[in-house]
Amino acid sequence: MSTHTSGRCTLVGAGPGDPELLTLKAVRAIASATVLLVDDLVNDAVLAHASPTARIVHVGKRGGCKSTPQAFIDKLMITAVQEGEHVVRLKGGDPFIFGRGGEEVEHLRAAGIEVEVVNGITSGLAGMSSLGAPLTHREHAHGVVFVTGHAKPGDTGTDWVQLAHTAHQAKLTLVIYMGVSSLAHICQGLLSGLPAHTPVAVVQNASLPTQRQALTTLEGLVATVQNEDLHSPSIIVVGDVVQGARAWQPQDLDAAQRQA
């Protein structure tokens, strides 16, 4: 049993991978933690900010890989807080953007535990920034939609046809997380409402030295991902803002438009 008199929990976003993209608030939270529950996508270099006496528990959750059950993670957090620990739940990106942060907050509150949330830079933003392109632009995109390509068991998932029509009509950028494994299905739906020549960027391992990326069009997306051998974790950005990428060649878009 810990000698601490009162426990607490902080959900911390570790950002997309580059440890220099941590916020100052995140660094302070990590340094003050007595227990850290760490996701797979958190760069090990981030843990350099942890106290030497902190207990570090890796609780990975990755699609297609062996994962720590969410119920176990919830119980571990609650038990540690009740024992007086300062628990930091360290997540890749931002806890509230596809990080199950909302579910964990609900479980903690149900146990009478209030939670502090420290935001982190999400990979969808970092990936596009690394290409020198925005997610919104007054001429090209009036808004941005963050959407998952991975549906939980029993869920029908995103209506890609409807989303494509909405994005086309409202001039929205689509940022798709966890979409590589379902790419053919996603593309089929998006092509029902978006032009085949719509620019697309795929960024793997955003912000890390191992980052790889490809620029293509919607009709060439599946072939490009296969040819470039891109894998998870990758973000897929669909929309005219991709034309702002440093490596984007205007003739690529012109050729795609002529073929469409």
Side-chain angles (χ1 to χ4, degrees):
M1 181 72 70
S2 170
T3 57
H4 298 283
T5 55
S6 59
R8 56 195 175 107
C9 185
T10 310
L11 303 188
V12 177
D18 182 350
E20 292 190 353
L21 292 177
L22 283 171
T23 65
L24 294 174
K25 194 168 187 177
V27 169
R28 287 194 294 268
I30 293 167
S32 66
T34 59
V35 176
L36 289 114
L37 305 183
V38 184
D39 273 351
D40 270 350
L41 292 178
V42 174
N43 191 331
D44 286 342
V46 169
L47 300 178
H49 297 289
S51 167
T53 61
R55 180 160 60 100
I56 298 174
V57 183
H58 291 274
V59 287
K61 297 191 73 63
R62 292 284 299 277
C65 302
K66 186 176 181 180
S67 298
T68 305
Q70 186 63 45
F72 175 82
I73 297 172
D74 294 336
K75 184 176 180 180
L76 194 59
M77 283 193 294
I78 291 169
T79 300
V81 171
Q82 290 174 340
E83 291 178 348
E85 306 284 1
H86 176 201
V87 177
V88 164
R89 177 76 169 99
L90 198 55
K91 297 172 173 288
D94 183 276
F96 280 178
I97 299 181
F98 306 121
R100 300 200 184 190
E103 298 172 36
E104 291 177 353
V105 166
E106 290 171 0
H107 281 91
L108 288 159
R109 286 178 179 166
I113 299 168
E114 283 303 314
V115 187
E116 181 181 10
V117 177
V118 178
N119 295 116
I121 296 174
T122 186
S123 61
L125 176 58
M128 279 298 278
S129 296
S130 73
L131 303 180
L135 288 179
T136 62
H137 189 291
R138 287 194 299 174
E139 298 296 326
H140 302 302
H142 297 160
V144 57
V145 176
F146 295 104
V147 59
T148 176
H150 177 72
K152 69 178 183 180
D155 193 328
T156 56
T158 301
D159 185 336
W160 296 105
V161 174
Q162 182 61 53
L163 182 59
H165 283 288
T166 301
H168 188 50
Q169 293 168 1
K171 295 180 72 171
L172 303 176
T173 303
L174 302 181
V175 181
I176 305 169
Y177 292 68
M178 298 171 283
V180 173
S181 62
S182 305
L183 195 56
H185 170 70
I186 291 171
C187 280
Q188 182 181 20
L190 293 181
L191 284 167
S192 298
L194 285 168
H197 60 260
T198 302
V200 180
V202 183
V203 184
Q204 179 180 323
N205 295 330
S207 84
L208 290 170
T210 54
Q211 175 175 315
R212 298 174 62 231
Q213 60 276 325
L215 300 172
T216 184
T217 57
L218 190 55
E219 66 179 345
L221 178 55
V222 172
T224 296
V225 168
Q226 292 174 345
N227 292 339
E228 296 294 328
D229 198 28
L230 294 167
H231 300 283
S232 177
S234 293
I235 55 102
I236 302 163
V237 181
V238 181
D240 288 340
V241 292
V242 174
Q243 296 174 63
R246 284 186 296 267
W248 181 263
Q249 299 299 317
Q251 60 266 29
D252 295 342
L253 181 58
D254 293 339
Q257 288 175 327
R258 288 194 297 269
Q259 294 170 7

